[in-house]
Amino acid sequence: MREDKNSKTSQDQNEKVQVQKKPWFWPAVYGGGALMLAGMLFGYNSLVSKVEEAPSSEVAEVDSSPVVETNARTETMKYPFKEADLSKVQVSQEFYEVEANAESREKALMVFNQTFTTSSGISLSMNGEEFEVLAAMSGKVLEVKLDAFTGNKIVIEHADGKQTHYSSVKDIAVKEGDEVTQGQALGKATDNEWNQAAGIHLHFEVLDNGKYINPKQLLAFENK
C-alpha cells in the first residue's frame, strides 16, 4: 500500500513538472496575475472616485446659500415708486427732525382734530393722482394691516436689519409671509380719513435696527 502511494505521488510530481515545462504554462500564469491586479486597481479607483464625489457636491450646496444672503445685504434701496416718475413726485410731508429748520419741522407735523403728530416718515404725492407703490428693497412681508381710517399699511423686513413701511395703500397685491423682490408692485397710493390734508399719497417709513430714520438719507429727492 505504501509503495503504491509513493508511486502515485511520484507520478503526480512528474506530471506537474511536465505541465510546467509546457511553453504556454508560465505566460498563462503571468497573464492571470496581471488580470487580477488590473481588476483590483479598477475596483480601488472606483471606490476612491465615489468617496471624492460625495464631499464635493455637499460643499457646493453649502457655498451657494451665503452668496444669496450677501447679495441681499448689499442691495441698495430704491424709490418706492417707478423711477421714471421721480420728476412728478412731491414730498408733501417731511420726516420730523429736531435739528431741522423751522420750515422743515412744520412740514413734518400732521394734524387731526387739532392734535399735532410728528411724522416718522415722508409722505409722497404725485399731482393728486394715484400711482403704483413698489418694494424699495427685497425682503419678507412681515405684516399687512387693513385700516381705512389711518390707511392700509404694509411692513417688509430686509436682510440688512432694515424695515420699510408703506401706508395709505389700496389694491394690496401681497400678503403676510410673502417674499418680495425689489421693484415688485405692492399696491396703489390712496387717501385716508386720518390725514386728509395729504390727499392721495404714500407715507413711506424706514427703520434701521428698530429706529426710524429719514428716508432721504438713503434716497435723493432734489428740490423736493
Side-chain angles (χ1 to χ4, degrees), residues 22-46:
K22 297 288 185 181
W24 50 264
F25 176 76
W26 290 110
V29 171
Y30 294 142
L35 288 173
M36 289 179 61
L37 180 60
M40 293 172 64
L41 289 174
F42 179 78
Y44 175 77
N45 289 335
S46 298

Side-chain angles (χ1 to χ4, degrees), residues 63-208:
D63 288 347
S64 63
S65 57
V67 173
V68 175
E69 180 69 14
T70 300
N71 290 341
R73 288 184 176 276
T74 57
E75 190 175 65
T76 302
M77 184 174 292
K78 293 185 178 181
Y79 297 107
F81 51 82
K82 294 179 181 177
E83 191 166 351
D85 293 331
L86 178 59
S87 60
K88 303 178 184 178
V89 172
Q90 300 93 35
V91 180
S92 55
Q93 287 178 323
E94 297 281 357
F95 177 86
Y96 187 86
E97 294 181 293
V98 177
E99 300 83 3
N101 58 43
E103 182 180 356
S104 295
R105 293 200 305 271
E106 184 177 350
K107 288 187 67 176
L109 294 175
M110 297 181 289
V111 184
F112 179 75
N113 283 344
Q114 299 182 339
T115 300
F116 289 89
T117 305
T118 57
S119 174
S120 54
I122 56 176
S123 293
L124 306 172
S125 57
M126 195 179 297
N127 300 321
E129 301 173 358
E130 295 180 358
F131 58 91
E132 197 169 41
V133 177
L134 309 179
M137 295 175 68
S138 301
K140 183 177 182 179
V141 179
L142 192 64
E143 180 184 11
V144 174
K145 183 179 179 181
L146 302 179
D147 190 331
F149 179 71
T150 59
N152 301 330
K153 182 176 183 178
I154 303 169
V155 177
I156 301 178
E157 58 180 356
H158 310 284
D160 63 354
K162 291 187 180 67
Q163 283 187 6
T164 49
H165 295 187
Y166 312 77
S167 299
S168 194
V169 182
K170 72 173 187 177
D171 299 338
I172 294 176
V174 295
K175 62 182 183 302
E176 184 177 324
D178 282 355
E179 295 285 347
V180 298
T181 56
Q182 188 175 53
Q184 181 175 332
L186 303 178
K188 292 182 179 179
T190 187
D191 54 6
N192 60 69
E193 296 180 27
W194 185 75
N195 192 11
Q196 293 181 359
I200 296 174
H201 71 287
L202 166 69
H203 189 68
F204 182 61
E205 300 172 330
V206 179
L207 287 81
D208 191 357

Side-chain angles (χ1 to χ4, degrees), residues 14-35:
N14 289 333
E15 289 178 356
K16 180 183 288 187
V17 171
Q18 291 299 322
V19 170
Q20 292 176 351
K21 287 182 178 180
K22 297 288 185 181
W24 50 264
F25 176 76
W26 290 110
V29 171
Y30 294 142
L35 288 173

